Every structure is written in C-alpha cells, then in structure tokens.
Amino acid sequence: MLGNKIKTLRKALGMTQSELAGNRLTKGMLSQIENSKATPSMSTLEYLAQQLGCEPSDLLNEKEDYLPLLNEIKNDKKQENYSAIYDKLSHVVSENMPQGVMEAKLYSLYAEAGLYLDKPNMKKYIELAASYFKMNSLFLDSAETLWIYHQYRLSHGNWDESLSILNEIRKFYSGNGLEENTVFQLKLLLDEGIVLLALEEYKTSHTRMQEAIALSKETNVYYRMDDIYRIASNYPLVMKDDKEFLRLISKSRQYAIFSENKIALMMFPLLYAVYHNEITKDYKKAIHYLEEFAINPEKIDELYYLEYGKALYGLGEIDRAWKICLNVIYPVRWCIQSM
C-alpha cells in the first residue's frame, strides 16, 4: 500500500512525521496518508517523494521512468509551449498503456496540449487519464482532468455539454476528497455559474454564486471573488434590483482592486453602462461610462456596441443607434429587441 510504503521509508530514514510533513502538510494529514485513510494528490505525492529523497515512481512502484520527460514538459508548460508538449508525447502515448499514475499524468498532459491546439480525438485521452487516476484513488486529479475538458467545451460555447461535465464532477467526486480542496470547489461553482448565465438560467446561476460566497467566508479562501461577485450581480440586474446589483458590483470591484486584477477593473465602466441602460434609464450616464470603457480599445466588443446603441436609442438618436448596432455580430433582431 502507498501509505505503508511512505511510512516505512520515513522510518528507515529516521524522519519524524513533523519533519516529513514540513510546511506543506499537517502532521494529522500525513498520519492519515500513512494509515491509508487519505490519498495524496499527485502534487502532494511529488512533495513527499522530494522530502524522502526519491521519485514518485518509487513510491508507486512504477516500472517505466517517465520523470525526465515529465520534467521537460513541466518547463514547456511554464512557457505555454503546447506544441512542444504535444510533439514529445505523441511518440510516447498510446491507448493501451499500463494503468499507473505516471501514465495517467501523461494522458492528461497530452490531452490538455491537444485540446489547446484543437487536435481531434482528445476526449478519449481525457477519459483514460481520469479513469487511471480514479483507479489509483487520486480522485482530485481525476476531477481536475475532467475539468480541463469542461474548460475546452466552455471556450467553444458548448454550454450544455460543459454543464453536464461539471455535474458529473460534482456528483461523483463529492465525498471522495473534493471537499478538501476549497479552490477546486470554488472553480466548479464559478464555472457552473458562468455556464448557467450563458443558458439564461439567471436565478440558478445566482444561487451557485451565493454558495461560492458562503464557502469562501467559511474557509477564508478568496479565489476569484471579483468574478464570483460580478457573475452574482447578473440576477439582480435582470430583476431590476438596483440596490443588490450595486452592492455586488461594489464587492466585485473591491476584490479586483485587492487582487490587482487590471483586466477586471477595465470592465467596470461597461457594467455601470449596462446598469444605467437597464435600470436607471439615464442614457447620458451610460454613454459617459461607455466612453470611459473605450479608453482601452482592445476591450471593445459586441456588448459595448450593443449598449452604446441602446443608449443612443434611449436618447432618440435612432440613425446613430442603428449604425452602431451594425457592429454587433449577433442577429440584427437581437439589437432591435434589446432596444
């Protein structure tokens, strides 16, 4: 057993649990791992191997030594050189590899690089990686592998499939270590909120964001809280609840300032323009915020043109509004309905 092997090697080296745990793990968590009551994630396993002066494959009884290759790929990933990762692993990965942890890692990296490059047939390697991790009781690594595929489908606008993957992760992995990783739970809740928003399920999206906010407060983990509060603000906007919208947007802005998220901070003028178009009907203020937003021309998109057209229409400038809306890629009827 993995836990017993870690304990045996630690004792052979004359190390205490506190020494092995270092500043990365608690002594209690290490004790659970050694007694097979908890399973370490791949990153924790790598840390323990480093502390013990061995390789993760030594702890896992892996026959094939892929570590030199994985170390190369780690550097490629830091540089976001996905072409290099894909090319290196294309000569190594096959569909019938031994069901070990290292093979699962190779499948996961290969699929991630392939998805980034839009290569075909990557889903099967995601499924193999997730399955191999699961067989080795690395449930969090398995969930994170499925999350990679969800991100790919999300980026391509496949909302229903993306939501299905998120539900699969939450349903199966709850009770299998997912609760121990607050950041990953917040990732899932945030992404589910985004997908539900795209599907126009505003109330359910808002509920997920409230769950994320409650979890953050309970655990004192503040992962992407600016985005979470911003997504949460959409439901009160739809419901014309101006006080709640402004409260949530204010919280979002505070977290964006705190985390120095410059990209998020650039978006707030656009959000205030939407607020004035939809709730206060102060179209001059909406245009003021839109002009402030346009200081960063690289951020101008269809929503900017749509909101500008709505503001001009509200001011009675029909011809200008129509010309602005011609920049919107959405169907023209969308512009007309929005006005």
Side-chain angles (χ1 to χ4, degrees), residues 174-222:
S174 293
N176 282 315
L178 188 59
E179 295 84 354
E180 296 171 12
N181 192 308
T182 303
V183 170
F184 190 63
Q185 285 190 76
L186 290 171
K187 273 185 185 180
L188 292 179
L189 287 167
L190 174 58
D191 281 5
E192 190 172 351
I194 292 169
V195 173
L196 289 166
L197 194 62
L199 293 169
E200 298 184 359
E201 296 186 29
Y202 301 108
K203 188 174 183 179
T204 310
S205 172
H206 184 72
T207 299
R208 291 291 174 269
M209 294 305 91
Q210 292 300 323
E211 290 174 15
I213 291 166
L215 178 61
S216 173
K217 288 178 179 177
E218 179 187 340
T219 58
N220 292 320
V221 175
Y222 303 104

Side-chain angles (χ1 to χ4, degrees), residues 201-253:
E201 296 186 29
Y202 301 108
K203 188 174 183 179
T204 310
S205 172
H206 184 72
T207 299
R208 291 291 174 269
M209 294 305 91
Q210 292 300 323
E211 290 174 15
I213 291 166
L215 178 61
S216 173
K217 288 178 179 177
E218 179 187 340
T219 58
N220 292 320
V221 175
Y222 303 104
Y223 172 80
R224 291 184 65 180
M225 295 308 295
D226 52 338
D227 292 325
I228 287 170
Y229 275 104
R230 179 171 51 79
I231 297 300
S233 73
N234 281 273
Y235 180 62
L237 181 67
V238 170
M239 300 303 292
K240 312 296 184 188
D241 185 345
D242 60 335
K243 288 183 179 179
E244 181 63 3
F245 172 81
L246 291 173
R247 184 186 75 82
L248 292 171
I249 282 296
S250 176
K251 294 288 286 186
S252 176
R253 193 167 186 277

Side-chain angles (χ1 to χ4, degrees), residues 23-35:
N23 57 8
R24 176 85 171 264
L25 300 172
T26 64
K27 184 179 174 182
M29 176 54 71
L30 177 59
S31 178
Q32 288 188 45
I33 291 171
E34 288 189 344
N35 290 293

Side-chain angles (χ1 to χ4, degrees), residues 106-316:
L106 292 174
Y107 279 141
S108 178
L109 288 165
Y110 179 63
E112 184 178 6
L115 291 172
Y116 184 87
L117 299 169
D118 261 333
K119 299 290 184 179
N121 304 319
M122 288 296 109
K123 184 179 180 181
K124 65 182 176 184
Y125 293 105
I126 287 285
E127 291 172 344
L128 282 168
S131 174
Y132 279 28
F133 278 131
K134 196 186 301 181
M135 287 177 192
N136 288 277
S137 300
L138 295 173
F139 297 110
L140 181 58
D141 295 274
S142 182
E144 287 178 334
T145 300
L146 291 174
W147 184 78
I148 291 169
Y149 191 64
H150 141 72
Q151 284 278 296
Y152 174 74
R153 303 313 291 168
L154 178 65
S155 68
H156 284 68
N158 299 106
W159 314 120
D160 290 320
E161 186 177 0
S162 178
L163 185 60
S164 176
I165 296 167
L166 289 172
N167 287 334
E168 178 187 349
I169 293 172
R170 283 164 62 89
K171 182 178 178 181
F172 181 83
Y173 294 95
S174 293
N176 282 315
L178 188 59
E179 295 84 354
E180 296 171 12
N181 192 308
T182 303
V183 170
F184 190 63
Q185 285 190 76
L186 290 171
K187 273 185 185 180
L188 292 179
L189 287 167
L190 174 58
D191 281 5
E192 190 172 351
I194 292 169
V195 173
L196 289 166
L197 194 62
L199 293 169
E200 298 184 359
E201 296 186 29
Y202 301 108
K203 188 174 183 179
T204 310
S205 172
H206 184 72
T207 299
R208 291 291 174 269
M209 294 305 91
Q210 292 300 323
E211 290 174 15
I213 291 166
L215 178 61
S216 173
K217 288 178 179 177
E218 179 187 340
T219 58
N220 292 320
V221 175
Y222 303 104
Y223 172 80
R224 291 184 65 180
M225 295 308 295
D226 52 338
D227 292 325
I228 287 170
Y229 275 104
R230 179 171 51 79
I231 297 300
S233 73
N234 281 273
Y235 180 62
L237 181 67
V238 170
M239 300 303 292
K240 312 296 184 188
D241 185 345
D242 60 335
K243 288 183 179 179
E244 181 63 3
F245 172 81
L246 291 173
R247 184 186 75 82
L248 292 171
I249 282 296
S250 176
K251 294 288 286 186
S252 176
R253 193 167 186 277
Q254 287 172 18
Y255 278 107
I257 292 169
F258 177 75
S259 60
E260 298 181 348
N261 189 338
K262 293 180 181 178
I263 294 175
L265 288 169
M266 288 179 189
M267 296 301 296
F268 285 100
L270 181 58
L271 296 173
Y272 284 120
V274 174
Y275 164 72
H276 286 297
N277 272 339
E278 295 296 324
I279 295 181
T280 70
K281 306 300 181 184
D282 189 335
Y283 302 113
K284 287 184 178 179
K285 272 193 178 179
I287 288 176
H288 166 77
Y289 281 113
L290 288 164
E291 288 173 348
E292 183 181 336
F293 176 75
I295 292 172
N296 301 292
E298 72 277 6
K299 289 295 172 187
I300 291 177
D301 59 8
E302 290 88 350
L303 182 58
Y304 164 82
Y305 289 117
L306 181 61
E307 293 302 322
Y308 211 118
K310 285 160 67 175
L312 289 171
Y313 184 85
L315 291 170

